[in-house]
Amino acid sequence: MNKKVSILAVLTAALSLPLFSQVSVDPSDKFYTMVESWGIRGIINEVPPIRPYPLANVKEILDTVIKNGDAYDTEIANLLYEDIFKHSWHVEAGADYALSQKKEDSDPAELDSMLYVYPALEGDFYLFDDFVSVGYHLGWAARNIEDESRFLPIYTNSMHDSIQDPASIGPMNVYLDMNNSLAVGKKNMFMQAGIYRTGYGPYLNQGLALNDSAYHCANLSFTYMNGRLSYAHQLSMIGATSSYSGDSGTLAPDKILAFHALEYGFTDQFSASYYETIVYGKRFDASYLLPVPFMVAQGIGGCNDNLQMGILLKYRPVKGVLWATDIFVDDIDVNKLAKLSIDSKNRIAFKTGLVYTPENSFCTRANLNYTFVTPYTYSHWEYDDEKTASISAGTKNYQNYTNNGINMGTAFAPNSDAINLTLDFRPVSRLGIKVSSTFMRHANVCESLTDDEAFAYLCAEPGVYSTDGSVNTHSMMADSSSSNGTHVDTAWDKLNFLNQEHTMYVIQTGIQAEYTFATRKKTHVSFRAGYTFEYIQRYGVNTNMYPGGSVTISEDKKYYTYNGISYPKNAESVSKIVSLARSEWESSLVNKINSYYTAGITVRF
């Protein structure tokens, strides 16, 4: 073994260890980035389909790397093994200071700042020779600003599970920020339960079905692995929110996500997976616990639940390179596809890209991918009364693809696409650097509505229908004369993918760095800093175009009133009012230049 390589490996691994905190609870833990690298380079072959992993599987992965990896990988795995399995608990105290600078067109820039403090007791331990494992993160998140999203780039999820019901201590809002997991079974067959974030697929923190960065939920899962075959099944208890806004202040229980995936590795280089998800609520359906197709199971109850299915393909053409493609299908018009036409209600999320993890390089990982999400994907309607298909301002949505109002799949809104490049560097042993750049497009599908459709939204009661083009914008309207409601023709008959007149363009470029050193008595200290530049052209595209309650009809039903002006009740007036509403929405669009700065420290002992 080359002595210089060995020393560098030990130093880099030792100084990186504080980044690995709690592998059995947090699917975004840096351990999973290492697992991705080891898998792409062929050092390990079999890992559970769903993150996070039980300790028994973590131990097996590290044992395999210690046995088969090169000097760098072996030293990292050895030190991780010691950190995880010889120290069952840690106390961690972290603090971040965030500064945002936002400027709209010619207006002066606005400065805002936030202090974030998050102490925690966390750890992992196992019992009965790995048969039972437990992970826990018992923490709090305190910040002096209630709305954390003000310090996050657009379409970015918070990495803390702390969004509601805070206690006030002086100037700070203090939230619970806790997760836990319990796993029972063997390495190839186990059950797992707890409250934690969960991820699926090769794109860490960017999954289409289960996104590691989405809000946590209560999970019960089963996993079976046998050589090239694996099967995973998960039931997640999630939170329902307002069908109109997704505001977590309207939170309600009894919403459930079921997920299962079957994967087969045809060769050492190529594998294919088929998965299904279904979202439903206000009841418990035991059929979704069974290892049967959800497409069949939902037919027993009337096919009224929100079903999705997907295909995930992974191919390693050469050592260190992964090409992965994920196709998430929410709805599809089979009849038009048979006629070779895609101009219909094809609600699909798609992601493809390359991940490169070279050996013995200062660039440890490169990820280039492209994502698109067609209109109305992840969205779904909900009725207050199924018999009359009624929708009100208080309707809770138990079927859209959100938990606590946060998308469980990609953070990008429907009718968007994006190209992302992420590079991880370690130029010196104590310094880790991540550089990321994203170019995204998004348009509001409501801009494609006909005048009559748009007018129906303007005449509706306030707070009933969203027209902001987000996951809250769905394709059905209430109909008191039918139990099926009324569908919006434009949403069902046309695709309208990014063909609107006004497109919002987003450019994000960021750099994050972390410097870590170890002190005596196994105490680790990490300093970090980051900067993200964001340019948004036509910000406001993602706001309501046709807010309800804008139009009233006179008692004699002869006039419409809009903005205090009356118009005769005819088709010409409808077009005139819709044009005025559209013009007001267009006039609100602005260009924004945002800068986000962060600096923080974490002490772990």
Side-chain angles (χ1 to χ4, degrees), residues 230-251:
S230 69
Y231 177 75
H233 197 116
Q234 181 166 290
L235 202 68
S236 302
M237 280 52 75
I238 55 181
T241 49
S242 162
S243 188
Y244 170 72
S245 66
D247 183 2
S248 63
T250 61
L251 191 61

Side-chain angles (χ1 to χ4, degrees), residues 254-502:
D254 299 327
K255 184 176 180 179
I256 300 174
L257 165 73
F259 168 90
H260 60 189
L262 180 67
E263 180 176 4
Y264 186 76
F266 292 91
T267 69
D268 290 341
Q269 288 74 40
F270 175 73
S271 69
S273 304
Y274 174 77
Y275 63 86
E276 290 180 308
T277 65
I278 199 158
V279 187
Y280 68 102
K282 295 185 286 187
R283 75 183 199 281
F284 177 75
D285 193 331
S287 63
Y288 297 136
L289 285 173
L290 304 176
V292 298
F294 292 160
M295 185 184 298
V296 176
Q298 76 151 348
I300 298 173
C303 298
N304 291 321
D305 299 328
N306 184 18
L307 172 71
Q308 300 84 26
M309 60 196 72
I311 295 175
L312 174 61
L313 305 174
K314 295 184 289 185
Y315 177 55
R316 291 186 299 168
V318 296
K319 184 178 180 180
V321 176
L322 172 69
W323 176 25
T325 298
D326 193 357
I327 306 171
F328 178 94
V329 178
D330 192 339
D331 199 359
I332 199 165
D333 192 331
V334 177
N335 293 331
K336 280 201 171 184
L337 282 180
K339 299 176 183 178
L340 303 180
S341 173
I342 62 170
D343 192 21
S344 187
K345 55 167 186 172
N346 294 307
R347 296 160 191 170
I348 297 171
F350 173 90
K351 182 186 248 4
T352 189
L354 295 171
V355 182
Y356 177 46
T357 56
E359 290 183 312
N360 301 320
S361 172
F362 74 96
C363 178
T364 58
R365 179 177 180 268
N367 179 4
L368 175 65
N369 60 73
Y370 170 72
T371 305
F372 73 73
V373 186
T374 63
Y376 299 102
T377 304
Y378 296 116
S379 68
H380 204 274
W381 58 92
E382 181 76 33
Y383 298 126
D384 289 323
D385 187 339
E386 295 291 343
K387 295 181 179 179
T388 60
S390 59
I391 302 175
S392 69
T395 299
K396 302 289 193 302
N397 199 312
Y398 290 88
Q399 300 204 44
N400 66 11
Y401 210 77
T402 68
N403 171 24
N404 278 244
I406 299 170
N407 201 339
M408 295 180 291
T410 178
F412 297 132
N415 203 25
S416 301
D417 71 345
I419 297 174
N420 171 260
L421 173 64
T422 301
L423 301 172
D424 292 326
F425 299 97
R426 190 162 292 278
V428 296
S429 59
R430 299 189 180 193
L431 179 64
I433 299 174
K434 182 186 293 290
V435 178
S436 180
S437 185
T438 300
F439 172 74
M440 189 194 74
R441 300 182 298 171
H442 169 66
N444 190 333
V445 70
C446 292
E447 195 173 359
S448 297
L449 297 174
T450 65
D451 287 348
D452 288 338
E453 291 168 340
F455 193 73
Y457 285 115
L458 291 169
C459 293
E461 292 294 322
V464 176
Y465 300 108
S466 165
T467 57
D468 63 0
S470 71
V471 70
N472 299 308
T473 299
H474 55 77
S475 57
M476 297 293 289
M477 300 192 77
D479 185 351
S480 59
S481 64
S482 169
S483 61
N484 297 320
T486 299
H487 64 71
V488 179
D489 290 340
T490 298
W492 285 69
D493 300 333
K494 296 291 183 181
L495 179 61
N496 286 321
F497 177 58
L498 290 174
N499 63 358
Q500 290 73 31
E501 180 181 353
H502 298 86

Side-chain angles (χ1 to χ4, degrees), residues 104 154-155 244-245 413-415 442-449 457-458 465-473 500 502-504 536-548 581-590 592:
E104 293 185 2
I154 192 170
Y155 301 126
Y244 170 72
S245 66
N415 203 25
H442 169 66
N444 190 333
V445 70
C446 292
E447 195 173 359
S448 297
L449 297 174
Y457 285 115
L458 291 169
Y465 300 108
S466 165
T467 57
D468 63 0
S470 71
V471 70
N472 299 308
T473 299
Q500 290 73 31
H502 298 86
T503 301
M504 182 171 70
I536 306 177
Q537 186 179 54
R538 300 191 187 96
Y539 178 83
V541 161
N542 54 341
T543 58
N544 282 297
M545 288 191 67
Y546 305 114
R582 190 192 305 265
S583 296
E584 291 175 10
W585 175 80
E586 291 175 5
S587 66
S588 69
L589 304 182
V590 296
K592 298 188 72 172

Side-chain angles (χ1 to χ4, degrees), residues 15 59 61 115 136 176 191 239 315 331 370 374 418 449 510 512 515 528 538:
L15 295 167
K59 184 178 180 181
I61 289 169
L115 177 63
Y136 58 93
L176 289 176
M191 295 192 68
Y315 177 55
D331 199 359
Y370 170 72
T374 63
L449 297 174
Q512 289 81 40
Y515 183 84
R528 59 188 167 274
R538 300 191 187 96

